[in-house]
Amino acid sequence: QVQLVESGGGLVHTGGSLRLSCAASGFDFGSYGMVWVRQAPGKGLEWVAGTTAGGDAFYSTSAKGRFTASRDNSKNKLYLDMTNLRPEDTAVYFCSKGASTADFTERGQGTQVTVTS
């Protein structure tokens, strides 16, 4: 059974940084790409960033230059380092199994990120 548990969210001021983590279990983590997606209040899911199984990262326009996606296959963990955070980054952040930027069916419960101005 796929299990994804996000952590590391919190409340930060504009310009601040956070590191999100995603602990994965129940599948062969090292064989799958993974993505981070977010959901802002009242909005749908938005793809943010991801990595291939081998660790190559890819980013949405909103994340490029500010966020860094990485993974440690030995620990079955995915990370998202977020810098220069803005109020519009406020959302619940989820990790999702697979490298799709459109299908986020298998995702965790999420971690809240709130950026105040």
Side-chain angles (χ1 to χ4, degrees):
Q1 181 179 353
V2 172
Q3 188 168 13
L4 299 166
V5 180
E6 302 90 342
S7 61
L11 175 67
V12 296
H13 293 298
T14 297
S17 301
L18 281 174
R19 180 178 233 209
L20 306 184
S21 298
C22 169
S25 61
F27 65 103
D28 184 10
F29 179 77
S31 294
Y32 287 87
M34 298 287 294
V35 296
W36 288 98
V37 300
R38 67 186 181 186
Q39 188 166 27
K43 297 191 176 180
L45 290 168
E46 175 193 14
W47 165 70
V48 176
T51 77
T52 63
D56 293 324
F58 47 95
Y59 301 97
S60 66
T61 301
S62 62
K64 205 163 190 177
R66 299 188 300 128
F67 296 0
T68 302
S70 61
R71 63 193 293 157
D72 185 338
N73 287 343
S74 69
K75 296 182 178 178
N76 286 3
K77 283 200 167 182
L78 179 73
Y79 303 101
L80 186 66
D81 289 291
M82 305 187 294
T83 63
N84 193 20
L85 283 161
R86 306 163 179 165
E88 54 264 40
D89 295 316
T90 294
V92 178
Y93 284 70
F94 305 87
C95 60
S96 178
K97 175 175 171 273
S100 172
T101 59
D103 178 5
F104 316 123
T105 305
E106 292 182 292
R107 64 183 186 272
Q109 293 300 305
T111 186
Q112 176 72 48
V113 171
T114 303
V115 185
T116 61
S117 57

